[in-house]
Amino acid sequence: KYCIDHADPSAVMGAYNRVNGEPCCGSKTLLQDILYGEFGFKGYVVSDCGAIRDFHTGHKVTATEPESVALAVNNGCQLNCGDAYLSLYEAYEMDLITEETITAAVEKLFEARFRLGMFDDDCEYDKIPYDVVECKKHTALNRKMAQECTVLLKNNGILPLSKDIKTIAVI
């Protein structure tokens, strides 16, 4: 609530876990009632990567991907980190979600893109060359941030990374 009130974020990322039996990225309680309702959040919600698919593969709160997608979007998770939202049309065809709900989600996402200037002819972000993005100053700051934070990961065979990898983009 403090962040919503004082930082006015454009986006909030949901989590993988469940709270009181509801997966966070599809939780009516967390998203509709608290985040958008009580806190008055105006931005969009993005899922943690793979979290929507996890509704039916891990949490077993839904049986299929279209059900998982509908649960997420119907409750206010507009953007999916992953590819589960490819099943959005199927969810619509199954009457699990309305066109109006999909339209409202897309409008919220496009609002953010317009605010960023992504449709302007002179979008400032398009003018930043890659050698600036990965300059020594930014690389040093990234290293400092990585050294000063703690990251908890479940090692599912990805770690340790190969020593042959020279560059990693964290998006």
Side-chain angles (χ1 to χ4, degrees), residues 20 36 38 47 51 66 84 98 100 104 122 124 126 128 148 170-171:
N20 297 325
Y36 286 108
E38 183 182 330
S47 73
T98 66
E100 292 77 21
D122 60 342
E124 65 182 285
D126 291 338
I128 301 171
E148 293 180 4
V170 178
I171 310 298

Side-chain angles (χ1 to χ4, degrees), residues 120-131:
D120 297 348
D121 290 334
D122 60 342
C123 178
E124 65 182 285
Y125 302 108
D126 291 338
K127 297 176 185 171
I128 301 171
Y130 192 73
D131 62 339

Side-chain angles (χ1 to χ4, degrees), residues 40-59:
F41 179 60
K42 302 290 186 226
Y44 66 91
V45 174
V46 58
S47 73
D48 210 331
C49 298
I52 306 303
R53 180 164 289 124
D54 199 33
F55 292 3
H56 59 279
T57 62
H59 295 297

Side-chain angles (χ1 to χ4, degrees), residues 8-161:
D8 191 27
S10 294
V12 169
M13 179 178 261
Y16 286 109
N17 60 298
R18 284 181 298 201
V19 173
N20 297 325
E22 293 180 298
C24 294
C25 293
S27 170
K28 178 188 179 304
T29 305
L30 294 178
L31 300 178
Q32 288 184 32
D33 299 344
I34 297 173
L35 184 64
Y36 286 108
E38 183 182 330
F39 293 177
F41 179 60
K42 302 290 186 226
Y44 66 91
V45 174
V46 58
S47 73
D48 210 331
C49 298
I52 306 303
R53 180 164 289 124
D54 199 33
F55 292 3
H56 59 279
T57 62
H59 295 297
K60 308 289 187 201
V61 297
T62 56
T64 67
E65 190 157 281
E67 290 175 18
S68 297
V69 166
L71 180 65
V73 179
N74 282 330
N75 284 308
C77 183
Q78 293 84 14
L79 185 60
N80 171 229
C81 178
D83 61 3
Y85 280 15
L86 292 173
S87 296
L88 193 56
Y89 186 73
E90 189 177 353
Y92 167 77
E93 294 241 309
M94 296 169 67
D95 291 323
L96 299 173
I97 190 167
T98 66
E99 182 178 348
E100 292 77 21
T101 300
I102 296 169
T103 298
V106 171
E107 286 173 347
K108 195 170 276 281
L109 295 173
F110 269 85
E111 265 178 34
R113 294 182 74 186
F114 275 105
R115 279 196 318 274
L116 287 170
M118 293 179 75
F119 300 104
D120 297 348
D121 290 334
D122 60 342
C123 178
E124 65 182 285
Y125 302 108
D126 291 338
K127 297 176 185 171
I128 301 171
Y130 192 73
D131 62 339
V132 170
V133 172
E134 195 179 4
C135 68
K136 288 182 181 183
K137 178 182 174 184
H138 295 164
T139 301
L141 179 60
N142 289 338
R143 181 176 308 279
K144 181 180 182 211
M145 289 171 38
Q147 290 168 341
E148 293 180 4
C149 72
T150 301
V151 178
L152 301 175
L153 298 173
K154 178 179 180 183
N155 187 2
N156 56 0
I158 294 173
L159 299 175
L161 295 175

